[in-house]
Amino acid sequence: MPNCDTARTLICKVAVPVPLDRLFDYLPPADCDPADLQVGARVLIPFGKRQLVGVLLAIEHNSAVDTDKLKQVIEILDRQSLLSDADLRLLRWASLYYHHPPGEVMAIAFPAALRQGRPALLPQQRFFGLSPLGQSTLPEQLRRAPKQQALLSLLQTSGVCLPGAALAQHKIALKALLDKGFVIEQAADQSVAVAMTKPSLAANPDQQAAIDAVIANLGKFAVSLLDGVTGSGKTEVYMQIIAKVLAQGKQVLVLLPEISLTPQLEQRFLQRFAVNMVSTHSKLTDKQRLQAWLSMQQGQAAIMLGTRSALFTPLQRPGLIILDEEHDSSFKQQEGFRFSARDVAIARAKGLGIPVLLGSATPSLESIANVAQGRYQLLDLPRRAGHASAPSFQLLDIRNKRLQAGLSDALLTEIHATLAKNQQALIFLNRRGYAPVQICHGCGWVSRCLRCDANLVIHAAERLLRCHHCGSEQALPKHCPACKTGELQALGLGTERIEQTLSALFPDKAVVRLDRDTTQRKGSLEQYLEQINDGQADIILGTQMLAKGHHFPAVTLVAILDIDSGLFSIDYHGSERLAQLIVQVAGRAGRADHAGKVLLQTRHPQHPLLDTLLSKGYRAFAQGALEERRQAGLPPFSYQALMRVQANSIEEPQQFLHAVCQAISALGAGKTQVLGPVAAPMARRAGLFRFQLLLQSPQRKDLHHLLDRLLPAIYALKESKKVRWSLDVDPLDLY
Ligand code: ADP
Ligand code: ZN
Ligand code: ZN
């Protein structure tokens, strides 16, 4: 063992998961061999009265603090860094770009178990392959046991041994073949074993062009935007590209906006590939997430499916990153470290030298602008795959029309006609609960949240009034709390109310409601999706959950009930979101053999957004919207950072933001405009007063130059101690 005296002079620079924008200096542990200090390793360190898990980011000889005052690292948790140099560089970059404390950025790269200091140990995997008997047996001989026959031919055609996880679907057949001696457990010599369960579909010429283009980019950095209308076969394109990446022995990371989409895609991938595939998202246990993370990090799994947080999973042999539904705003984290998984995925791919494939039927305006500037390659799937044709649109002008719980007679007639043909109807309303407000017919009292600038929503089945912003609840009042005598009424519509109306109007039909309230229980969403796909549902009703990538082959009618509120949004992103929503929800119609029809109920049938979208399509809408943004100098033609502040009093956030404005003047804002301070659109939430300040510059460099100098000044402000503040770089909404 080398002498520890040499280690004494070394200083460990550690990223500690606390909201402070700096690294912390520690001495190595007393008995430490300097060779054991690896940049990227987790270390257990004393911090105040606590012990925390940090990440060692540098080893230097100097410290601004007197070395006698420095504390020692308690324990080095990893002998080797779990993250590659490229990923460590990415995280450092992300911390600088988003101006977020390095310790909190580092923490997000690890699953909870590793953040808590648990060992990075992956349980031994079992691998299975054919015995000599299994190799010489004709699958035909097992025709009485079709599942065993299928597994035998799978193993014979693949010619490799496969990890148990990849054979999860074949559990029973596997046991039978083991008992018969056709299959034996083997030591794995290949960590990423792949077999095709099913051959690919014959790609159509558009799909083939997209597949070829991405395959030509394998092994180098490139960004492609797969702009394919709903049902155009984007998933098929992904799978054929993935097959190629897997054949090269590389790994694929697939990011999705929603947990609810993982089981469906997992299913489609498993039907195609017998490969060790892992999923990760917030509904899994810490242990499951640790295993998924480690099996990618150690190279045993070949595909990871996950939501935003999966982005930082280390890849032993990175091959490709796919981001499906790239326009979805859930790729932007909205609290804490407010990163855009899409933008960071692109930075990550650049660092790793691999391609990124972004897919969407309604690409974000940013991505479309990046295509126009030649930064992304456009891959176009303008038509639906197979036999499906594009759905037709129709506006239902509901001005002065009779409505039953928001449903016009014309719409009800269409629903009847659809159900009579044994097809499914899908009704979309982006508001859950029974009704968005309760009002007294006698005195005008309305159910306001005491802690937010918002109404309490009626949840009739639970007999509750609930705030959708802070979660506070109270029992549904029977008498008006103000006048005690007036009659209480439900004002407006939520999915719960529509469900009730539809069930009453169509008593012998099955109505399935999909929203956050009905799908909270684990497994309930899967159960509903199964019910829908088994044809056990006639009317599917729900919120934006329905807008996301689901494949409902029997749906031929789609109705969007209330689009008018979206037409007049105060946020400049509003029209982009609404157009995407309409196209995505509409895309659930007519995905199989029968043509689909989309009905939009509106009181503004002449609105230019609807006109462009319906007569010329999403691309034309996007071009127009981009032109408006250019003229207004809004992103993507300028760059923004939004500072949000909240506090218990109404004065403190304003005082803080005034101090920030003074600091900006002192530093010189350059080309950056300072807009505000103003009250947030929801000025009070969960009892806190909220204000904000928007910084906007025609040049990214200019904005970041200001932020680089401004942040240290803000941390030093005495006003900053009295408020909670955050900085959102490239904000996706201005709330
Ligand atoms: P998207 O992801 O673009 O919405 P999907 O990949 O879900 O579209 O494909 C829609 C449907 O078209 C699926 O049922 C799929 O199996 C089918 N499909 C895709 N590509 C082809 C093809 N080349 N030939 C026949 N059917 C296809
Ligand atoms: Zn009253
Ligand atoms: Zn509230």
Short mmCIF file of all heavy atoms in Angstrom, two decimals, residues 472-529:
data_model
loop_
_atom_site.label_atom_id
_atom_site.label_comp_id
_atom_site.label_asym_id
_atom_site.label_seq_id
_atom_site.Cartn_x
_atom_site.Cartn_y
_atom_site.Cartn_z
N SER A 472 -55.73 20.67 -1.76
CA SER A 472 -56.58 20.72 -0.57
C SER A 472 -58.00 20.27 -0.92
O SER A 472 -58.46 20.42 -2.05
CB SER A 472 -56.56 22.10 0.10
OG SER A 472 -56.67 23.12 -0.82
N GLU A 473 -58.64 19.68 0.07
CA GLU A 473 -59.95 19.06 -0.15
C GLU A 473 -60.89 19.44 0.97
O GLU A 473 -60.47 19.71 2.08
CB GLU A 473 -59.84 17.53 -0.07
CG GLU A 473 -58.92 16.90 -1.03
CD GLU A 473 -58.86 15.39 -0.86
OE1 GLU A 473 -59.18 14.85 0.23
OE2 GLU A 473 -58.47 14.76 -1.84
N GLN A 474 -62.17 19.42 0.66
CA GLN A 474 -63.17 19.50 1.73
C GLN A 474 -64.40 18.75 1.29
O GLN A 474 -64.59 18.49 0.09
CB GLN A 474 -63.49 20.96 2.05
CG GLN A 474 -64.05 21.73 0.88
CD GLN A 474 -64.11 23.22 1.19
OE1 GLN A 474 -63.10 23.90 1.36
NE2 GLN A 474 -65.33 23.73 1.26
N ALA A 475 -65.23 18.37 2.26
CA ALA A 475 -66.44 17.63 1.93
C ALA A 475 -67.33 18.53 1.06
O ALA A 475 -67.35 19.75 1.23
CB ALA A 475 -67.17 17.24 3.20
N LEU A 476 -68.03 17.90 0.13
CA LEU A 476 -68.93 18.64 -0.75
C LEU A 476 -70.05 19.24 0.11
O LEU A 476 -70.78 18.50 0.76
CB LEU A 476 -69.50 17.67 -1.78
CG LEU A 476 -70.16 18.23 -3.02
CD1 LEU A 476 -69.18 19.03 -3.85
CD2 LEU A 476 -70.73 17.09 -3.85
N PRO A 477 -70.20 20.57 0.14
CA PRO A 477 -71.22 21.13 1.01
C PRO A 477 -72.63 20.81 0.50
O PRO A 477 -72.86 20.74 -0.70
CB PRO A 477 -70.95 22.64 0.96
CG PRO A 477 -70.08 22.88 -0.20
CD PRO A 477 -69.43 21.59 -0.58
N LYS A 478 -73.56 20.62 1.47
CA LYS A 478 -74.95 20.36 1.08
C LYS A 478 -75.72 21.68 1.01
O LYS A 478 -76.69 21.81 0.28
CB LYS A 478 -75.62 19.43 2.09
CG LYS A 478 -75.03 18.03 2.05
CD LYS A 478 -76.04 17.02 2.61
CE LYS A 478 -75.54 15.59 2.53
NZ LYS A 478 -74.40 15.31 3.41
N HIS A 479 -75.28 22.63 1.84
CA HIS A 479 -75.93 23.94 1.87
C HIS A 479 -74.89 24.99 1.59
O HIS A 479 -73.71 24.80 1.89
CB HIS A 479 -76.55 24.20 3.24
CG HIS A 479 -77.44 23.08 3.68
ND1 HIS A 479 -78.68 22.86 3.12
CD2 HIS A 479 -77.25 22.10 4.59
CE1 HIS A 479 -79.22 21.79 3.68
NE2 HIS A 479 -78.37 21.31 4.57
N CYS A 480 -75.32 26.09 1.04
CA CYS A 480 -74.37 27.15 0.71
C CYS A 480 -73.69 27.65 1.99
O CYS A 480 -74.37 28.04 2.95
CB CYS A 480 -75.09 28.30 0.03
SG CYS A 480 -74.02 29.74 -0.16
N PRO A 481 -72.35 27.63 2.02
CA PRO A 481 -71.64 28.07 3.22
C PRO A 481 -71.89 29.56 3.52
O PRO A 481 -71.77 29.97 4.67
CB PRO A 481 -70.17 27.85 2.88
CG PRO A 481 -70.15 26.98 1.69
CD PRO A 481 -71.44 27.17 0.96
N ALA A 482 -72.27 30.34 2.51
CA ALA A 482 -72.45 31.77 2.73
C ALA A 482 -73.87 32.10 3.19
O ALA A 482 -74.07 32.64 4.27
CB ALA A 482 -72.11 32.54 1.46
N CYS A 483 -74.90 31.75 2.39
CA CYS A 483 -76.26 32.16 2.72
C CYS A 483 -77.07 31.07 3.39
O CYS A 483 -78.20 31.31 3.84
CB CYS A 483 -76.98 32.68 1.47
SG CYS A 483 -77.35 31.37 0.29
N LYS A 484 -76.53 29.85 3.43
CA LYS A 484 -77.16 28.69 4.09
C LYS A 484 -78.43 28.17 3.42
O LYS A 484 -78.88 27.08 3.71
CB LYS A 484 -77.51 28.97 5.57
CG LYS A 484 -76.45 29.70 6.36
CD LYS A 484 -75.26 28.81 6.67
CE LYS A 484 -74.25 29.58 7.50
NZ LYS A 484 -72.88 29.17 7.25
N THR A 485 -79.04 28.96 2.54
CA THR A 485 -80.33 28.54 2.00
C THR A 485 -80.31 28.32 0.50
O THR A 485 -81.09 27.53 -0.03
CB THR A 485 -81.42 29.60 2.29
OG1 THR A 485 -80.96 30.85 1.78
CG2 THR A 485 -81.70 29.71 3.77
N GLY A 486 -79.42 29.03 -0.19
CA GLY A 486 -79.45 28.99 -1.66
C GLY A 486 -79.15 27.59 -2.19
O GLY A 486 -78.53 26.76 -1.52
N GLU A 487 -79.60 27.34 -3.40
CA GLU A 487 -79.40 26.03 -4.01
C GLU A 487 -78.00 25.97 -4.64
O GLU A 487 -77.60 26.87 -5.38
CB GLU A 487 -80.46 25.83 -5.09
CG GLU A 487 -80.39 24.50 -5.79
CD GLU A 487 -81.05 24.55 -7.17
OE1 GLU A 487 -81.77 25.54 -7.45
OE2 GLU A 487 -80.82 23.63 -7.96
N LEU A 488 -77.28 24.89 -4.35
CA LEU A 488 -75.92 24.77 -4.92
C LEU A 488 -75.99 24.08 -6.27
O LEU A 488 -76.71 23.10 -6.44
CB LEU A 488 -75.04 23.97 -3.96
CG LEU A 488 -74.68 24.70 -2.66
CD1 LEU A 488 -73.90 23.77 -1.74
CD2 LEU A 488 -73.87 25.96 -2.95
N GLN A 489 -75.23 24.62 -7.23
CA GLN A 489 -75.23 24.03 -8.57
C GLN A 489 -73.81 23.75 -9.03
O GLN A 489 -72.87 24.43 -8.63
CB GLN A 489 -75.89 25.00 -9.56
CG GLN A 489 -77.36 25.22 -9.26
CD GLN A 489 -78.01 26.15 -10.26
OE1 GLN A 489 -77.32 26.83 -11.03
NE2 GLN A 489 -79.32 26.19 -10.25
N ALA A 490 -73.71 22.75 -9.92
CA ALA A 490 -72.42 22.45 -10.53
C ALA A 490 -72.33 23.25 -11.82
O ALA A 490 -73.22 23.21 -12.65
CB ALA A 490 -72.31 20.97 -10.82
N LEU A 491 -71.23 24.00 -11.97
CA LEU A 491 -71.09 24.85 -13.15
C LEU A 491 -69.98 24.29 -14.03
O LEU A 491 -68.87 24.05 -13.56
CB LEU A 491 -70.73 26.26 -12.67
CG LEU A 491 -70.96 27.42 -13.62
CD1 LEU A 491 -72.45 27.59 -13.90
CD2 LEU A 491 -70.41 28.71 -12.99
N GLY A 492 -70.29 24.08 -15.29
CA GLY A 492 -69.26 23.61 -16.21
C GLY A 492 -69.15 22.10 -16.21
O GLY A 492 -69.90 21.40 -15.54
N LEU A 493 -68.21 21.60 -17.00
CA LEU A 493 -68.13 20.17 -17.27
C LEU A 493 -66.77 19.58 -16.97
O LEU A 493 -65.75 20.18 -17.26
CB LEU A 493 -68.34 19.93 -18.77
CG LEU A 493 -69.67 20.32 -19.36
CD1 LEU A 493 -69.57 20.25 -20.85
CD2 LEU A 493 -70.73 19.40 -18.82
N GLY A 494 -66.80 18.40 -16.39
CA GLY A 494 -65.59 17.61 -16.26
C GLY A 494 -65.88 16.21 -16.76
O GLY A 494 -67.04 15.87 -17.04
N THR A 495 -64.85 15.39 -16.87
CA THR A 495 -65.03 14.05 -17.44
C THR A 495 -66.00 13.20 -16.62
O THR A 495 -66.76 12.41 -17.17
CB THR A 495 -63.69 13.31 -17.52
OG1 THR A 495 -62.97 13.50 -16.31
CG2 THR A 495 -62.86 13.81 -18.67
N GLU A 496 -66.00 13.40 -15.30
CA GLU A 496 -66.88 12.60 -14.45
C GLU A 496 -68.35 12.87 -14.80
O GLU A 496 -69.17 11.95 -14.85
CB GLU A 496 -66.60 12.95 -12.98
CG GLU A 496 -67.18 11.96 -12.00
CD GLU A 496 -67.03 12.42 -10.55
OE1 GLU A 496 -66.24 13.35 -10.26
OE2 GLU A 496 -67.73 11.85 -9.70
N ARG A 497 -68.65 14.13 -15.05
CA ARG A 497 -70.03 14.50 -15.38
C ARG A 497 -70.44 13.96 -16.74
O ARG A 497 -71.54 13.47 -16.94
CB ARG A 497 -70.15 16.03 -15.37
CG ARG A 497 -71.57 16.52 -15.48
CD ARG A 497 -71.62 18.03 -15.28
NE ARG A 497 -72.95 18.48 -14.93
CZ ARG A 497 -73.23 19.74 -14.59
NH1 ARG A 497 -72.27 20.64 -14.56
NH2 ARG A 497 -74.45 20.09 -14.29
N ILE A 498 -69.53 14.06 -17.70
CA ILE A 498 -69.84 13.56 -19.05
C ILE A 498 -70.04 12.05 -19.00
O ILE A 498 -70.91 11.51 -19.69
CB ILE A 498 -68.68 13.88 -20.02
CG1 ILE A 498 -68.32 15.34 -19.92
CG2 ILE A 498 -68.99 13.42 -21.43
CD1 ILE A 498 -68.62 16.16 -21.09
N GLU A 499 -69.24 11.39 -18.17
CA GLU A 499 -69.39 9.94 -18.04
C GLU A 499 -70.81 9.61 -17.58
O GLU A 499 -71.47 8.72 -18.12
CB GLU A 499 -68.37 9.40 -17.04
CG GLU A 499 -68.47 7.89 -16.85
CD GLU A 499 -67.58 7.37 -15.74
OE1 GLU A 499 -67.26 8.15 -14.81
OE2 GLU A 499 -67.19 6.20 -15.80
N GLN A 500 -71.27 10.38 -16.59
CA GLN A 500 -72.61 10.15 -16.06
C GLN A 500 -73.67 10.35 -17.15
O GLN A 500 -74.56 9.53 -17.33
CB GLN A 500 -72.83 11.15 -14.93
CG GLN A 500 -73.86 10.75 -13.93
CD GLN A 500 -73.96 11.81 -12.85
OE1 GLN A 500 -74.37 12.94 -13.11
NE2 GLN A 500 -73.56 11.46 -11.63
N THR A 501 -73.52 11.46 -17.89
CA THR A 501 -74.48 11.76 -18.95
C THR A 501 -74.46 10.67 -20.02
O THR A 501 -75.52 10.19 -20.45
CB THR A 501 -74.14 13.10 -19.61
OG1 THR A 501 -73.98 14.06 -18.58
CG2 THR A 501 -75.20 13.53 -20.58
N LEU A 502 -73.26 10.26 -20.44
CA LEU A 502 -73.17 9.26 -21.50
C LEU A 502 -73.77 7.94 -21.04
O LEU A 502 -74.46 7.26 -21.79
CB LEU A 502 -71.71 9.07 -21.92
CG LEU A 502 -71.11 10.22 -22.76
CD1 LEU A 502 -69.61 10.04 -22.90
CD2 LEU A 502 -71.77 10.28 -24.14
N SER A 503 -73.51 7.58 -19.78
CA SER A 503 -74.05 6.32 -19.27
C SER A 503 -75.57 6.38 -19.25
O SER A 503 -76.24 5.36 -19.48
CB SER A 503 -73.53 6.03 -17.86
OG SER A 503 -72.14 5.96 -17.88
N ALA A 504 -76.13 7.57 -18.97
CA ALA A 504 -77.58 7.70 -18.94
C ALA A 504 -78.15 7.67 -20.36
O ALA A 504 -79.20 7.05 -20.61
CB ALA A 504 -77.98 9.00 -18.25
N LEU A 505 -77.45 8.30 -21.31
CA LEU A 505 -77.94 8.35 -22.69
C LEU A 505 -77.75 7.03 -23.43
O LEU A 505 -78.48 6.72 -24.35
CB LEU A 505 -77.25 9.47 -23.47
CG LEU A 505 -77.58 10.91 -23.04
CD1 LEU A 505 -76.67 11.89 -23.75
CD2 LEU A 505 -79.05 11.22 -23.36
N PHE A 506 -76.73 6.28 -23.04
CA PHE A 506 -76.43 5.01 -23.72
C PHE A 506 -76.38 3.90 -22.66
O PHE A 506 -75.32 3.34 -22.39
CB PHE A 506 -75.10 5.09 -24.47
CG PHE A 506 -75.05 6.17 -25.51
CD1 PHE A 506 -74.58 7.44 -25.20
CD2 PHE A 506 -75.49 5.92 -26.80
CE1 PHE A 506 -74.54 8.44 -26.16
CE2 PHE A 506 -75.46 6.93 -27.77
CZ PHE A 506 -74.98 8.19 -27.45
N PRO A 507 -77.55 3.58 -22.07
CA PRO A 507 -77.54 2.70 -20.89
C PRO A 507 -76.99 1.30 -21.17
O PRO A 507 -76.44 0.68 -20.28
CB PRO A 507 -79.02 2.63 -20.48
CG PRO A 507 -79.79 3.14 -21.65
CD PRO A 507 -78.89 4.04 -22.42
N ASP A 508 -77.11 0.83 -22.41
CA ASP A 508 -76.64 -0.54 -22.65
C ASP A 508 -75.23 -0.56 -23.25
O ASP A 508 -74.78 -1.57 -23.77
CB ASP A 508 -77.63 -1.29 -23.56
CG ASP A 508 -77.92 -0.49 -24.82
OD1 ASP A 508 -77.59 0.73 -24.85
OD2 ASP A 508 -78.46 -1.06 -25.79
N LYS A 509 -74.53 0.57 -23.19
CA LYS A 509 -73.17 0.62 -23.75
C LYS A 509 -72.15 0.78 -22.62
O LYS A 509 -72.45 1.37 -21.58
CB LYS A 509 -73.03 1.80 -24.72
CG LYS A 509 -73.97 1.73 -25.91
CD LYS A 509 -73.61 0.58 -26.82
CE LYS A 509 -74.59 0.48 -27.99
NZ LYS A 509 -74.35 -0.72 -28.80
N ALA A 510 -70.95 0.28 -22.88
CA ALA A 510 -69.90 0.38 -21.85
C ALA A 510 -69.10 1.66 -22.06
O ALA A 510 -68.54 1.88 -23.14
CB ALA A 510 -68.98 -0.82 -21.92
N VAL A 511 -69.08 2.50 -21.04
CA VAL A 511 -68.31 3.75 -21.10
C VAL A 511 -67.06 3.58 -20.24
O VAL A 511 -67.16 3.18 -19.07
CB VAL A 511 -69.15 4.94 -20.56
CG1 VAL A 511 -68.34 6.23 -20.64
CG2 VAL A 511 -70.45 5.06 -21.34
N VAL A 512 -65.91 3.86 -20.81
CA VAL A 512 -64.66 3.78 -20.03
C VAL A 512 -64.08 5.17 -19.91
O VAL A 512 -63.91 5.86 -20.91
CB VAL A 512 -63.64 2.85 -20.73
CG1 VAL A 512 -62.28 2.98 -20.07
CG2 VAL A 512 -64.10 1.42 -20.66
N ARG A 513 -63.82 5.58 -18.68
CA ARG A 513 -63.25 6.91 -18.46
C ARG A 513 -61.77 6.78 -18.10
O ARG A 513 -61.42 6.04 -17.19
CB ARG A 513 -64.00 7.63 -17.34
CG ARG A 513 -63.32 8.90 -16.87
CD ARG A 513 -64.28 9.83 -16.16
NE ARG A 513 -64.76 9.29 -14.89
CZ ARG A 513 -64.27 9.65 -13.69
NH1 ARG A 513 -63.28 10.51 -13.60
NH2 ARG A 513 -64.77 9.13 -12.59
N LEU A 514 -60.93 7.48 -18.84
CA LEU A 514 -59.50 7.44 -18.58
C LEU A 514 -59.01 8.83 -18.20
O LEU A 514 -58.91 9.72 -19.03
CB LEU A 514 -58.74 7.03 -19.85
CG LEU A 514 -58.77 5.58 -20.28
CD1 LEU A 514 -57.90 5.41 -21.52
CD2 LEU A 514 -58.26 4.69 -19.18
N ASP A 515 -58.74 9.04 -16.92
CA ASP A 515 -58.10 10.28 -16.52
C ASP A 515 -57.28 9.99 -15.26
O ASP A 515 -57.22 8.85 -14.81
CB ASP A 515 -59.13 11.41 -16.31
CG ASP A 515 -60.19 11.07 -15.28
OD1 ASP A 515 -59.89 10.29 -14.36
OD2 ASP A 515 -61.31 11.60 -15.39
N ARG A 516 -56.69 11.00 -14.72
CA ARG A 516 -55.80 10.76 -13.59
C ARG A 516 -56.53 10.16 -12.40
O ARG A 516 -55.97 9.40 -11.62
CB ARG A 516 -55.09 12.05 -13.21
CG ARG A 516 -53.66 11.74 -12.91
CD ARG A 516 -52.77 12.87 -12.43
NE ARG A 516 -52.98 14.17 -12.97
CZ ARG A 516 -52.82 15.27 -12.24
NH1 ARG A 516 -52.50 15.16 -10.97
NH2 ARG A 516 -52.97 16.45 -12.79
N ASP A 517 -57.82 10.48 -12.28
CA ASP A 517 -58.57 9.96 -11.13
C ASP A 517 -58.89 8.48 -11.28
O ASP A 517 -58.87 7.74 -10.31
CB ASP A 517 -59.87 10.76 -10.95
CG ASP A 517 -59.58 12.22 -10.66
OD1 ASP A 517 -58.71 12.49 -9.81
OD2 ASP A 517 -60.19 13.10 -11.30
N THR A 518 -59.20 8.05 -12.50
CA THR A 518 -59.59 6.64 -12.66
C THR A 518 -58.39 5.72 -12.81
O THR A 518 -58.53 4.51 -12.75
CB THR A 518 -60.50 6.43 -13.90
OG1 THR A 518 -59.77 6.82 -15.05
CG2 THR A 518 -61.78 7.22 -13.80
N THR A 519 -57.22 6.28 -13.06
CA THR A 519 -56.06 5.40 -13.33
C THR A 519 -55.01 5.47 -12.24
O THR A 519 -53.88 5.09 -12.46
CB THR A 519 -55.40 5.77 -14.68
OG1 THR A 519 -55.05 7.16 -14.62
CG2 THR A 519 -56.33 5.53 -15.83
N GLN A 520 -55.41 5.97 -11.07
CA GLN A 520 -54.41 6.08 -10.01
C GLN A 520 -53.92 4.74 -9.50
O GLN A 520 -52.74 4.57 -9.23
CB GLN A 520 -54.99 6.89 -8.85
CG GLN A 520 -54.73 8.35 -9.10
CD GLN A 520 -54.74 9.16 -7.85
OE1 GLN A 520 -55.30 8.77 -6.85
NE2 GLN A 520 -54.11 10.30 -7.93
N ARG A 521 -54.86 3.84 -9.34
CA ARG A 521 -54.50 2.52 -8.81
C ARG A 521 -53.53 1.83 -9.78
O ARG A 521 -53.70 1.91 -11.00
CB ARG A 521 -55.76 1.68 -8.63
CG ARG A 521 -55.65 0.61 -7.58
CD ARG A 521 -57.04 0.07 -7.24
NE ARG A 521 -57.97 0.15 -8.35
CZ ARG A 521 -58.02 -0.72 -9.36
NH1 ARG A 521 -57.18 -1.73 -9.40
NH2 ARG A 521 -58.90 -0.58 -10.33
N LYS A 522 -52.52 1.17 -9.21
CA LYS A 522 -51.52 0.51 -10.04
C LYS A 522 -52.19 -0.55 -10.92
O LYS A 522 -53.00 -1.33 -10.43
CB LYS A 522 -50.47 -0.14 -9.14
CG LYS A 522 -49.16 -0.31 -9.84
CD LYS A 522 -48.08 -0.86 -8.95
CE LYS A 522 -47.01 -1.41 -9.87
NZ LYS A 522 -45.95 -2.09 -9.27
N GLY A 523 -51.87 -0.56 -12.18
CA GLY A 523 -52.43 -1.58 -13.07
C GLY A 523 -53.80 -1.22 -13.65
O GLY A 523 -54.28 -1.90 -14.55
N SER A 524 -54.43 -0.15 -13.13
CA SER A 524 -55.78 0.13 -13.62
C SER A 524 -55.76 0.61 -15.06
O SER A 524 -56.63 0.27 -15.85
CB SER A 524 -56.49 1.12 -12.70
OG SER A 524 -55.71 2.28 -12.56
N LEU A 525 -54.76 1.41 -15.42
CA LEU A 525 -54.69 1.89 -16.80
C LEU A 525 -54.54 0.71 -17.76
O LEU A 525 -55.26 0.62 -18.77
CB LEU A 525 -53.53 2.87 -16.97
CG LEU A 525 -53.37 3.36 -18.41
CD1 LEU A 525 -54.55 4.21 -18.84
CD2 LEU A 525 -52.09 4.15 -18.58
N GLU A 526 -53.63 -0.20 -17.43
CA GLU A 526 -53.41 -1.37 -18.28
C GLU A 526 -54.72 -2.14 -18.46
O GLU A 526 -55.06 -2.60 -19.55
CB GLU A 526 -52.36 -2.31 -17.67
CG GLU A 526 -50.92 -1.77 -17.70
CD GLU A 526 -50.67 -0.68 -16.68
OE1 GLU A 526 -51.50 -0.50 -15.76
OE2 GLU A 526 -49.64 0.03 -16.81
N GLN A 527 -55.44 -2.26 -17.33
CA GLN A 527 -56.70 -2.98 -17.36
C GLN A 527 -57.70 -2.30 -18.32
O GLN A 527 -58.34 -2.96 -19.13
CB GLN A 527 -57.24 -2.98 -15.95
CG GLN A 527 -58.21 -4.07 -15.62
CD GLN A 527 -58.65 -3.90 -14.16
OE1 GLN A 527 -57.85 -3.60 -13.27
NE2 GLN A 527 -59.94 -4.05 -13.94
N TYR A 528 -57.80 -0.99 -18.23
CA TYR A 528 -58.70 -0.26 -19.12
C TYR A 528 -58.27 -0.39 -20.58
O TYR A 528 -59.09 -0.56 -21.47
CB TYR A 528 -58.75 1.22 -18.75
CG TYR A 528 -59.55 1.53 -17.50
CD1 TYR A 528 -59.02 2.32 -16.50
CD2 TYR A 528 -60.85 1.03 -17.35
CE1 TYR A 528 -59.75 2.61 -15.35
CE2 TYR A 528 -61.58 1.32 -16.21
CZ TYR A 528 -61.04 2.10 -15.22
OH TYR A 528 -61.75 2.39 -14.11
N LEU A 529 -56.95 -0.27 -20.81
CA LEU A 529 -56.47 -0.36 -22.19
C LEU A 529 -56.80 -1.72 -22.78
O LEU A 529 -57.19 -1.84 -23.94
CB LEU A 529 -54.96 -0.09 -22.25
CG LEU A 529 -54.52 1.34 -21.89
CD1 LEU A 529 -53.01 1.48 -21.92
CD2 LEU A 529 -55.16 2.37 -22.82
#
